[in-house]
Amino acid sequence: MIVTSTVPARRLAASLLGGVLLAGCHTSTPTHQTPAPTTSAATGSRPAITHPTVTGPGLTPSQRLTVLANTIAATPGDDTTALPYTYLHTRSWTRATNAITRTDLRHWRRDTDGSGRETTRRLPDLPGLDHQPEGEEQALFARAPETTTEHLPGGLHPYLPEPLLRDANTLAGALAPPELAADPAYPRLLVNGVVAHATSQYLNRSQRATSLRILATIPGITYRGQSTDIVGRTGLAFTITADGSTSQLLVDPGSGEILAAHERLTRRRPGLFSHVLILERGHTTHAGTTLRP
């Protein structure tokens, strides 16, 4: 499920160790269109500008992520941070007790006071735990009933307090308790923190680069080449296996944005744990305004 409120790192770690947290998903990239003048652009299908060595041979996964962090480009959303609302559009498949929930969430947060709006569309839960999200499900969300929740000032909190930390070591300590660094579950804790951070607040170019540098430090991270998510977006796939789970992140090679993430459990009640698509992110003029005309 998408995290939309502040969760202290210790609580986050405890939840993960107990088997309850948002984790990765599958990735996908919709066609990007030119935004209306009063709104900002977000994640989309602008041409990826990839540094040659990012996808070339001879690099370890950590080196590849570090090169990517040093070469990512700005996005249209980076130029609109003065607009009052942060806008995020995510779609998630999340394990419940004995079913998979399917949720489309649009989230507007006024950065100055924490007020805003959330609109949610839910598809019927799927019984069982071993579902593989499919592209055909995307059209079903548009026909699902929509629920809107208005939030008063203070009702919506970023995942981490702002301004966001820029030092990779310090930010990693806020995302996963450093005292657990020797625990076998730590790589999972850290990647889940990175995903939760990216799905709950806007990250500018510098902040995206910091997140990539954190991923570069995760023990055992592997590079799987280029991959395409269920909505057609192509990115670089990185995988982390730890604590009886395997997580995969799809990263835009031009902007450094996490496009999608998914996690599957391999030991305890094996099957899908979570799958999230980050479809749009940016800034806009008021709650309810999307980033596309």
Side-chain angles (χ1 to χ4, degrees):
M1 185 173 175
I2 303 303
V3 180
T4 56
S5 61
T6 302
V7 181
R10 272 52 178 182
R11 283 179 52 201
L12 175 61
S15 296
L16 271 174
L17 290 171
V20 183
L21 183 76
L22 149 77
C25 293
H26 220 125
T27 6
S28 56
T29 316
T31 302
H32 186 69
Q33 303 175 23
T34 303
T38 57
T39 63
S40 75
T43 300
S45 66
R46 61 188 169 278
I49 303 173
T50 307
H51 193 282
T53 58
V54 171
T55 55
L59 293 180
T60 67
S62 293
Q63 290 170 335
R64 201 176 301 276
L65 283 161
T66 300
V67 170
L68 182 60
N70 292 337
T71 57
I72 58 174
T75 67
D78 294 339
D79 297 328
T80 57
T81 55
L83 295 178
Y85 284 88
T86 292
Y87 172 64
L88 294 167
H89 180 195
T90 58
R91 194 165 286 161
S92 63
W93 290 253
T94 306
R95 174 182 292 216
T97 303
N98 291 299
I100 301 296
T101 65
R102 299 179 289 175
T103 306
D104 181 280
L105 175 65
R106 296 175 187 266
H107 170 103
W108 293 266
R109 178 171 60 86
R110 189 177 182 90
D111 298 328
T112 56
D113 65 3
S115 63
R117 176 185 301 175
E118 292 178 309
T119 62
T120 305
R121 294 180 185 269
R122 286 280 304 272
L123 296 181
D125 294 351
L126 297 172
L129 302 176
D130 198 18
H131 176 64
Q132 176 61 53
E134 299 175 348
E136 289 74 12
E137 294 176 77
Q138 308 308 309
L140 300 177
F141 283 103
R143 301 195 293 269
E146 183 178 274
T147 300
T148 298
T149 303
E150 301 287 350
H151 294 272
L152 297 174
L156 291 175
H157 301 280
Y159 187 72
L160 292 179
E162 295 178 332
L164 296 175
L165 303 169
R166 294 188 177 184
D167 175 73
N169 290 333
T170 306
L171 180 58
L175 295 174
E179 59 267 27
L180 295 179
D183 193 288
Y186 182 75
R188 184 186 181 204
L189 293 173
L190 193 52
V191 72
N192 285 341
V194 170
V195 172
H197 191 208
T199 55
S200 64
Q201 58 199 114
Y202 185 85
L203 306 182
N204 63 28
R205 177 166 57 176
S206 174
Q207 294 155 354
R208 296 193 300 273
T210 301
S211 293
L212 293 174
R213 293 186 178 101
I214 290 174
L215 292 176
T217 69
I218 295 180
I221 191 167
T222 60
Y223 174 60
R224 299 297 185 184
Q226 298 191 58
S227 182
T228 301
D229 67 9
I230 60 174
V231 294
R233 299 175 297 179
T234 299
L236 309 182
F238 294 89
T239 299
I240 301 93
T241 299
D243 192 37
S245 83
T246 298
S247 298
Q248 181 167 297
L249 306 183
L250 191 66
V251 180
D252 186 303
S255 66
E257 295 169 300
I258 295 175
L259 302 174
H262 71 268
E263 180 181 12
R264 298 186 68 85
L265 298 185
T266 56
R267 199 167 59 212
R268 300 180 295 271
R269 303 180 74 204
L272 178 69
F273 190 67
S274 71
H275 182 116
V276 60
L277 305 174
I278 307 177
L279 298 175
E280 294 179 285
R281 58 192 133 198
H283 308 91
T284 188
T285 53
H286 59 277
T289 302
T290 63
L291 300 175
R292 300 177 182 185

